[in-house]
Amino acid sequence: MNTMSKFNKMPKIDEKASKKAVEKALYEYRDLLITLPMYLMPKVTPSYSITPPTNTNAFHSSTEEAALERIEFEHMRNEYLNKIHEAVNNLKEKERAIIIMKYLEHDVGYDPDIWAEIGVGSTRYYEIKGEAMLRLAFILKVEVYKKKNEVKTA
């Protein structure tokens, strides 16, 4: 079997879907920075029930359960934020600058402002941004592959 036929059997990346998956991950990053779900907040109103006392280490207080859920959430959030930080830090300098300005700063960046700030034209900006998004898709393991029998039509 020759080398070219091996490459023809490799799965093809769906660039558009992969870039969407990266955008979703980056927006989730932004959400995790600013939100804490209401269901993790402790209940303020008392809940009355007749429950016989037990001698186990299980928690029955809604406040204690909420605290445990919050700790789990914060652990998950910190792991996710670190994963995104590491991925972005693995990008090339201009790619990193674009991703940070476009998706990770407090205010979402506006493409023309970003390409002016980093000193490239619009065409080159979108090339760099596209490369960065695909690189992030692989680093974050969110890349999407085309199905074998998929045929694109116009």
Side-chain angles (χ1 to χ4, degrees):
M1 182 181 281
N2 71 29
T3 306
M4 286 309 289
S5 64
K6 287 181 185 177
F7 289 117
N8 290 338
K9 291 182 181 182
M10 291 187 66
K12 304 277 188 240
I13 188 90
D14 185 335
E15 291 185 20
K16 188 174 182 178
S18 294
K19 289 174 184 178
K20 275 197 179 303
V22 171
E23 273 193 335
K24 181 181 175 190
L26 295 174
Y27 286 128
E28 188 173 329
Y29 168 90
R30 291 177 59 82
D31 290 346
L32 286 173
L33 286 178
I34 60 173
T35 62
L36 182 65
M38 289 299 293
Y39 70 86
L40 292 180
M41 302 303 286
K43 279 193 233 173
V44 176
T45 57
S47 171
Y48 298 100
S49 65
I50 302 173
T51 308
T54 59
N55 295 327
T56 67
N57 290 331
F59 295 110
H60 293 287
S61 161
S62 65
T63 304
E64 291 168 326
E65 287 175 16
L68 288 174
E69 286 181 17
R70 183 177 175 123
I71 290 168
E72 287 175 15
F73 171 77
E74 287 178 0
H75 179 71
M76 180 276 307
R77 181 185 63 195
N78 291 340
E79 281 184 358
Y80 192 81
L81 297 179
N82 288 334
K83 179 180 173 181
I84 297 293
H85 293 160
E86 288 177 22
V88 171
N89 285 334
N90 279 311
L91 297 175
K92 296 175 184 175
E93 185 178 344
K94 283 189 179 181
E95 291 174 344
R96 185 171 47 247
I98 289 170
I99 296 300
I100 289 171
M101 286 187 258
K102 177 69 179 173
Y103 298 101
L104 304 181
E105 289 185 343
H106 182 67
D107 295 320
V108 175
Y110 182 57
D111 290 328
D113 293 338
I114 298 169
W115 77 58
E117 188 169 329
I118 65 169
V120 297
S122 64
T123 303
R124 184 67 186 130
Y125 167 80
Y126 287 112
E127 288 172 355
I128 296 170
K129 181 180 169 190
E131 291 168 5
M133 296 295 276
L134 287 176
R135 194 178 320 277
L136 281 174
F138 286 108
I139 295 170
L140 296 171
K141 296 178 175 59
V142 295
E143 72 273 16
V144 178
Y145 293 95
K146 293 180 182 178
K147 292 175 180 60
K148 284 188 176 190
N149 298 326
E150 183 178 343
V151 177
K152 293 273 183 175
T153 57

